[in-house]
Amino acid sequence: MATVRAIFQPLAGGQQHAPQLVSLAQEPWLDRLIISSAFSNSAGVAAVSAALAPVAGVCRAFIGVRNGSTTAQATAALLKLGVELYALDTATRGRIFHPKAFIATGPNQARAIVGSANLTHAGLFNNIEAGTDMELDLADASDKAFVDTMLDGFDDLIVNHPQHCFRIGSGREIVDLMKQGILEDERNPKTQTTFGSGKQGNATSKPRINLPFKSSPAKTKAKKPKIVPAAPAGTLPVAPPIYGQLVWAKPSLPRSDLQLNPGHAPGVLRLTQAKYKVGGAVIDQTTYFRNQVFGSLNWTFNTTAQKDEAVAPTSLVIAGVYVGDFDMPLSHKPAWAAGQGNYTTGLHWDKATSHIKQPGLVGRSLKLYQPASVGARYIVEID
């Protein structure tokens, strides 16, 4: 039967998680060690590296990435120790890899520390964290079932989700992940966020991890946006943009909107009705986008093409990763309604086309947000 001890850092006698993890890694009977952490930084790894080094050959580490917190320096430190290192990238803003579990197993016994502490300096020493330190007897059926369930879960990630649970085996791979914004750089810290804050890398186009997912209830009232000063023209924000009010959503993006159909690609996101409601009534898309969503922009009439034109300053966020800012052209032509399924307004992807032209984005949802303040940008989010 398990022996269970509570860890309540730092409230219970000045407890800290770091010494507990060190003692776990030093168990004389240990023949397998699992480390699982949502976030990790180099200071967190350094706190336990001396204890991990002798058992690195039997250690697997599962670390969450694309979360705005896990750093390239932390993964490099783990790799240098010689652990078998796996990155967990769910490829969606709607969920992140979040378990904090440290499990040592031997022939007849096991020990597990499970709780809220990440492999970061704050998580191991300073944050108010709660956890459970369990000594388990593998001859006991319930103890064994607990250990088997945990270990099987991590094995399942490797075997059945190789796109999202992938091994990091070299420093070059770490640098590439950092350049993509999937790992943070401690030399250039950004605002920490579970949405990530780097540039989009090729991995962003991967499909979302195929696991059960429950959507949150629809909001009945949009939150009042925070007022922030607009970024100077031509600059690249170092953190994800502030969201204004949601003004439109398209629940399942077709290949045509992502410019993936063979042959001619129009380069346009069709701003259709998509059954979107405002104030309980379905929008009239023939006027809603031209007069309300983008009504404040400077529209001009193109006499040659017989259509209204404008430019929408837009920030693009894909799978939780801020991609960058783009000035996206807009076109509005009432005559299109007759032959285009009542589509009269289009947002041109223009220079953002290479980011959205990804098969992994087919079927995902797109949301359009108003600027959070005067002079700020619209946000197009695909997740």
Side-chain angles (χ1 to χ4, degrees), residues 300-309 331-336:
T300 59
F301 184 69
N302 184 325
T303 55
T304 302
Q306 291 293 295
K307 61 182 180 181
D308 292 339
E309 296 177 333
S331 297
H332 174 79
K333 188 172 184 177
W336 286 336

Side-chain angles (χ1 to χ4, degrees), residues 246-268:
L246 178 68
V247 291
W248 185 63
K250 199 165 190 176
S252 183
L253 282 174
R255 295 179 62 85
S256 56
D257 277 346
L258 296 166
Q259 315 309 301
L260 292 169
N261 281 349
H264 175 64
V268 176

Side-chain angles (χ1 to χ4, degrees), residues 92-104:
T92 175
R93 171 182 171 170
R95 67 154 38 108
I96 62 172
F97 178 77
H98 210 242
K100 298 93 171 180
F102 307 87
I103 307 168

Side-chain angles (χ1 to χ4, degrees), residues 11 20 41 83 103 124 153 156 171 173 189 221 251 263 294 298 313 356 372 377 381:
L11 302 176
Q20 305 302 319
N41 61 28
V83 305
I103 307 168
L124 298 183
D156 181 88
E173 292 172 13
K221 184 178 180 180
F294 300 109
N298 182 28
I356 60 92
R377 289 178 169 268
E381 177 186 62

Side-chain angles (χ1 to χ4, degrees), residues 9 14 23 69 82 112 127-128 152 169 176 208 233 257 286 346 365:
Q9 172 185 303
S23 68
S69 294
N127 288 348
I128 299 174
D152 289 348
D176 288 343
R208 288 170 287 191
D257 277 346
T286 63
S365 61

